Amino acid sequence: MLKNREIILGVSGGIAAYKSVELLRELTKRGANVHVVMTKNAQQFITPLTFQTLSGNPVLCDMFQLLMGSKIGHVTLADIADLMVIAPATANILGKIANGIADDFLTTMVMATTVPVLFAPSMNVNMWESSFVQNNVEKLKAHGYQFIGPIEGDLACGSVGKGKLADNEEIIEKIEDIFTQKDFQGQRVLVTAGPTLEPIDPVRSITNRSTGRMGFAMARMARRRGAEVTLLTGPHYLSLPRRDIPQIVVNSAREMHDAAMHYFEDCHIVIMAAAVADFRPKAILEQKITKRKNETHILEMEKNPDILKELGEKKKNQILVGFAAETSELMEKAEVKLKEKNLDLIVANDVTEPGAGFGVDTNIVKILDALGKVKKLPLLSKDEVADIILDQVVKLVKMKEKGRPWPRNW
Ligand code: CTP
């Protein structure tokens, strides 16, 4: 997404300026060519040399800096850039730009550019909440400038509140979001993720090795492409894919079932990436099981509802995507599930293959559709896999809109 993008990183004078060094590293790691522009005050916190060394590009600080023989002047750079991100953006820089003041390289460049500009503000909580700053933010938003953060947390001034620079991951997610075509606009998507957890007694439970990564990637990519996403997940240890994705956390398959039924009516697309337990202990014991009485312990299990199958039966015109994590006869089993559960697509993966399945950031999948077509993918990151699954889904959305015939009812 960021490969070969020309990005201008504007750094203004706040204590969070040191964090933009790491942001620069993350952007370059993803293949972007970053040009750093610093205000005079920013140089009090960090030196241009650090940015120059890490970006491999001259750092622009001075309005009248002579860049002889270089194409880079504030106007030229503003023209070749794909995006400008200002992190940290101080109250001062927001105020200047909102009021048309261009008295240094950075402010001049913001005004000279026609590319998207993203502000990542960072300041004291009272400053952020002041009517001056809020009015300026409103003004900038009305002009089409974009914002990420600030977020809540411990601030450098000693207070706690909203004013902290957004995490680099969030800033990068927002940049990638800006570059992404919104082909899922208007689509409400329910994504399930993670394992379920079936209690045995007050301290024990049965679960599986799903971490939730594939479902989280599906949720993040769908949101990035403009969908309104609800994430219904079993217990997990991941950080939220995005702040703007509401998350419903459940434990058992029955809880996931009830929540899925609740959200189903109102959504256009369901992506069922959760690894739902097929069975649960028949009775949840009130007391902790003790080893003192017996040498063996037999746990009687009963079937859980098949959530996806039930959604397939209820389906009116939604698009249903299932997953099939198999250890043998991948295609045969996936095909049966596609038909039995009345799905539009099924994503099959052999979890015994290295790099595929639970607990890793990559996957190797085959996507089968209801017409019998199969798309085989190589080893890819889960984000990339999610994007390709969504490409297939969007084709179905378009077919549905055009009223084209499809073997599954819509
Ligand atoms: N699924 C579900 N409810 C269940 C079990 C599975 O909704 N109780 C969904 C999964 O989220 C997945 C798809 O059905 O999208 C296939 O799940 P999988 O575990 O591969 O297959 P099962 O239907 O459980 O069949 P089997 O146990 O025979 O493999």
Side-chain angles (χ1 to χ4, degrees), residues 245-272:
I245 298 179
Q247 181 196 217
I248 297 116
V249 184
V250 291
N251 280 317
S252 67
R254 281 188 293 181
E255 285 169 21
M256 186 171 277
H257 167 272
D258 295 351
M261 295 305 144
H262 174 78
Y263 287 100
F264 182 61
E265 295 297 322
D266 201 32
C267 69
H268 304 106
I269 300 160
V270 179
I271 299 170
M272 192 83 201

Side-chain angles (χ1 to χ4, degrees), residues 13 19 23 31 35 41 44 51 56 58 64 81 87 95 162 169 186 207 248 260 262 297 309 320 346 372 377 396:
K19 293 186 183 167
L23 178 61
H35 307 269
N41 287 343
Q44 299 287 328
F51 287 115
F64 305 103
K162 205 169 178 187
E169 286 227 336
T207 186
I248 297 116
H262 174 78
H297 182 88
K309 189 154 187 261
L320 276 191
I346 192 154
L377 303 182
L396 299 185

Side-chain angles (χ1 to χ4, degrees), residues 331-377:
M331 298 303 276
E332 295 78 358
K333 287 181 179 168
E335 225 169 285
V336 169
K337 288 174 191 177
L338 177 83
K339 289 205 176 93
E340 276 184 1
K341 302 192 188 205
N342 194 23
L343 308 180
D344 301 289
L345 291 179
I346 192 154
V347 183
N349 66 326
D350 180 344
V351 285
T352 63
E353 268 190 276
F358 296 149
V360 286
D361 282 322
T362 54
N363 212 346
I364 308 166
V365 307
K366 296 180 176 66
I367 308 170
L368 287 71
D369 74 17
L371 288 174
K373 279 199 225 133
V374 180
K375 195 174 176 66
K376 293 181 187 176
L377 303 182

Side-chain angles (χ1 to χ4, degrees), residues 34-37 48 51-52 55-61 65 67 70 72 77:
V34 183
H35 307 269
V36 178
V37 180
F51 287 115
Q52 185 146 324
S55 70
N57 287 316
V59 172
L60 306 165
C61 303
Q65 202 166 345
L67 287 157
S70 163
I72 299 165
L77 185 53

Side-chain angles (χ1 to χ4, degrees), residues 193-343:
T196 60
L197 193 128
E198 310 295 333
I200 299 172
D201 69 13
V203 296
R204 300 183 181 92
S205 54
I206 296 181
T207 186
N208 59 60
R209 288 173 47 214
S210 167
T211 56
R213 281 192 175 91
M214 192 62 238
F216 275 48
M218 292 297 325
R220 177 171 48 252
M221 299 317 261
R223 178 74 196 110
R224 202 186 272 178
R225 290 168 74 152
E228 205 182 294
V229 178
T230 303
L231 177 62
L232 172 56
T233 174
H236 65 85
Y237 298 97
L238 304 174
S239 40
L240 267 183
R242 287 176 52 132
R243 278 170 204 272
D244 55 2
I245 298 179
Q247 181 196 217
I248 297 116
V249 184
V250 291
N251 280 317
S252 67
R254 281 188 293 181
E255 285 169 21
M256 186 171 277
H257 167 272
D258 295 351
M261 295 305 144
H262 174 78
Y263 287 100
F264 182 61
E265 295 297 322
D266 201 32
C267 69
H268 304 106
I269 300 160
V270 179
I271 299 170
M272 192 83 201
V276 186
D278 288 330
F279 293 93
R280 62 171 179 270
K282 200 164 179 186
I284 304 170
L285 299 173
E286 275 178 27
Q287 302 299 327
K288 191 183 155 197
I289 301 168
T290 168
K291 65 176 181 295
R292 294 184 205 290
K293 289 183 191 155
N294 302 306
E295 282 304 307
T296 56
H297 182 88
I298 294 171
L299 207 56
E300 203 182 345
M301 309 278 277
E302 64 185 357
K303 249 190 186 172
N304 266 327
D306 187 325
I307 305 169
L308 194 53
K309 189 154 187 261
E310 209 174 310
L311 296 180
E313 283 157 13
K314 281 182 130 201
K315 173 165 120 175
K316 291 190 191 98
N317 58 2
Q318 290 97 335
I319 292 169
L320 276 191
V321 181
F323 278 73
E326 307 293 351
T327 52
S328 66
E329 299 153 76
L330 178 67
M331 298 303 276
E332 295 78 358
K333 287 181 179 168
E335 225 169 285
V336 169
K337 288 174 191 177
L338 177 83
K339 289 205 176 93
E340 276 184 1
K341 302 192 188 205
N342 194 23
L343 308 180

